[in-house]
Amino acid sequence: MESVTTASWKCLKKSEPEKKVLSGLPLNELIDELKSLPAPLPPFRAKQIFKWISRGITSFEEMTDLDKSLRENLDSRFSVRSSEVSARLEDPDGTVKLQISLLDESKIEAVLLSDAEDRKTACISTQAGCPVGCVFCKTGSLGFSRNLNSAEIVEQFLHLKALSTGTNISNIVIMGMGEPLLNLAELRRALAVLSDAEGLGISRRRVTVSTSGVISGIRDLTDNGPHIRLACSLTSARQDLRNRLMPIGETNPLPLLKKALTAYQQKSGQRITLEAVLLGGVNTTPADAAAMIDFARSLDAVINLIPWNPVEGMIFEGKPLREPSRAEAETFASLLEKGGLKVTRRYRKGRGVAGACGQLGVVP
Ligand code: SAH
Ligand code: SF4
């Protein structure tokens, strides 16, 4: 059973979209922005404001250590936020999915996951829709609307944080809607906000970015950081099958992908996660396992197996996609383990609210 609540947030002023939004500005950009006002503000003011925004306030009025005239002046020029929660769905397993409305009326989704020890993880989107079009993914089936900006990425975290009474959110996974490395500039700014010790201070080691395998983006991260945890959705290590399942494979071939992942690993000193969505009867044969072992052997990688989460009406080459049986998934996992790979099976949280991997996609 699920409960649906329509949100009552009224922090937005949709009639004033021209106002600059502050929630997505890294501290250095906020300092510069406030320095360039007709009556410039010193950096310590920017820090105060940055802290307030990180704490989750939604209006200048609530910044009680600024005097009233300054608050009014800021309010006439800027908005704190640019999005609002339009619906909230709760799964009995503790997963909460938020539907979030943006200024242009686009809708995106963000998910809060809790584990048995009540550790909380925020799953965040980087695009409205996705241009990659993997055949097994609900988001991919929507097509692409647009990239999210830094404020829209940061605010998903702030909306989820507001739900999270008790324990703080300890981890972030950039595994919601969209391909993060096709929106790397805005993602980078958002991560700078989220990891700043003056604000939320989420350590980069607690952030995982999942990519479908955008080689140019992996190289950019290698050279310019941030060196977050990287997950790459492999799903098949057979080039031909991968191209048919994940069209991005055609322009991002496996040998070059492996080279880019190896370089990232060497530079960042981090173990890589390779994700594989298991599709019943499609990518679980011994030949599929052998190809995956061959791909992953020289990397320091963990293979995360994700049994396909059902999405209605998904057809692959004339046949409906289906979940793998437990035996099929286990046989595949043990073949990988026999080949020397480390394997984890991902828990299936959030299915009751269509908030599990690959199920995100707002019905307009
Ligand atoms: N675009 C990025 C991140 C978002 S998708 C990427 O593709 O990596 C997050 C994960 O969900 C990916 O590993 C993707 O392969 C997986 N996924 C997509 N659709 C799925 C589905 N229906 N069931 C299970 N996992 C799915
Ligand atoms: Fe986009 Fe990732 Fe879905 Fe592929 S799996 S369509 S890259 S969101």
Side-chain angles (χ1 to χ4, degrees):
M1 256 220 284
E2 66 192 43
S3 67
V4 181
T5 325
T6 308
S8 58
W9 289 59
K10 285 286 166 269
C11 57
L12 274 189
K13 295 178 182 168
K14 290 201 174 177
S15 55
E16 298 171 301
E18 76 283 359
K19 282 187 183 179
K20 186 154 191 170
V21 177
L22 298 188
S23 64
L25 298 188
L27 184 53
N28 61 330
E29 290 184 35
L30 185 62
I31 289 173
D32 289 346
E33 182 71 37
L34 300 180
K35 236 195 262 173
S36 63
L37 288 173
L41 293 179
F44 86 88
R45 285 279 178 231
K47 274 190 196 171
Q48 279 175 308
I49 293 166
F50 187 80
K51 280 186 180 153
W52 278 115
I53 296 174
S54 303
R55 264 185 247 161
I57 62 96
T58 57
S59 71
F60 293 104
E61 225 176 289
E62 297 162 77
M63 300 185 181
T64 48
D65 55 1
L66 309 183
D67 68 41
K68 195 158 185 285
S69 63
L70 176 55
R71 283 184 264 155
E72 283 169 0
N73 188 5
L74 290 168
D75 189 51
S76 68
R77 293 168 187 277
F78 302 112
S79 298
V80 174
R81 295 246 185 125
S82 64
S83 67
E84 63 183 7
V85 174
S86 47
R88 165 184 164 159
L89 287 90
E90 283 183 36
D91 190 291
D93 72 8
T95 306
V96 184
K97 179 166 88 166
L98 296 182
Q99 221 169 69
I100 296 169
S101 300
L102 310 179
L103 282 174
D104 65 355
E105 308 293 332
S106 296
K107 289 204 164 44
I108 54 165
E109 295 184 338
V111 181
L112 185 66
L113 299 145
S114 315
D115 68 11
E117 283 88 48
D118 203 32
R119 265 189 311 246
K120 299 217 159 80
T121 298
C123 176
I124 286 180
S125 300
T126 50
Q127 297 182 316
C130 181
V132 176
C134 303
V135 300
F136 45 83
C137 171
K138 168 91 183 268
T139 310
S141 73
L142 298 175
F144 177 59
S145 282
R146 68 171 175 86
N147 279 333
L148 303 184
N149 60 39
S150 169
E152 291 162 339
I153 298 170
V154 169
E155 287 175 31
Q156 292 173 61
F157 184 88
L158 295 173
H159 290 308
L160 293 172
K161 185 170 181 278
L163 298 175
S164 169
T165 47
T167 11
N168 283 330
I169 301 174
S170 54
N171 292 291
I172 298 177
V173 293
I174 310 292
M175 293 187 186
M177 301 168 76
E179 169 47 56
L181 298 190
L182 294 179
N183 188 16
L184 185 49
E186 290 302 299
L187 174 61
R188 209 173 242 142
R189 290 171 81 222
L191 293 178
V193 174
L194 294 166
S195 64
D196 196 314
E198 296 283 349
L200 292 155
I202 307 273
S203 131
R204 292 190 174 135
R205 288 189 310 277
R206 294 184 175 277
V207 176
T208 303
V209 172
S210 174
T211 177
S212 55
V214 178
I215 292 169
S216 57
I218 298 169
R219 287 184 182 145
D220 190 337
L221 277 178
T222 306
D223 294 342
N224 306 309
H227 291 152
I228 38 69
R229 287 182 183 276
L230 188 63
C232 179
S233 303
L234 192 60
T235 293
S236 175
R238 300 168 75 182
Q239 189 72 63
D240 171 60
L241 179 59
R242 187 166 197 269
N243 294 356
R244 280 146 56 212
L245 294 169
M246 304 178 68
I248 199 157
E250 278 163 33
T251 45
N252 292 265
L254 287 166
L256 292 183
L257 179 59
K258 184 165 164 177
K259 223 169 144 190
L261 291 171
T262 306
Y264 185 79
Q265 183 155 71
Q266 281 166 356
K267 187 81 178 271
S268 68
Q270 307 241 27
R271 174 174 284 172
I272 305 265
T273 300
L274 296 175
E275 296 158 289
V277 181
L278 297 183
L279 306 161
V282 173
N283 63 348
T284 57
T285 65
D288 291 302
M292 205 162 277
I293 292 164
D294 191 45
F295 184 89
R297 192 180 278 134
S298 64
L299 287 166
D300 178 16
V302 173
I303 317 290
N304 193 353
L305 297 181
I306 317 168
W308 183 64
N309 291 311
V311 180
E312 228 179 86
M314 295 219 128
I315 308 279
F316 175 57
E317 297 180 345
K319 282 196 199 147
L321 284 174
R322 63 166 174 83
E323 289 176 72
S325 67
R326 183 161 284 265
E328 186 180 356
E330 277 311 312
T331 307
F332 188 73
S334 57
L335 283 174
L336 296 184
E337 281 167 342
K338 276 188 205 131
L341 302 189
K342 295 181 198 76
V343 177
T344 58
R345 288 94 165 145
R346 185 177 290 179
Y347 57 156
R348 302 173 177 194
K349 289 244 164 187
R351 277 190 178 190
V353 290
C357 278
Q359 293 184 317
L360 299 187
V362 181
V363 181

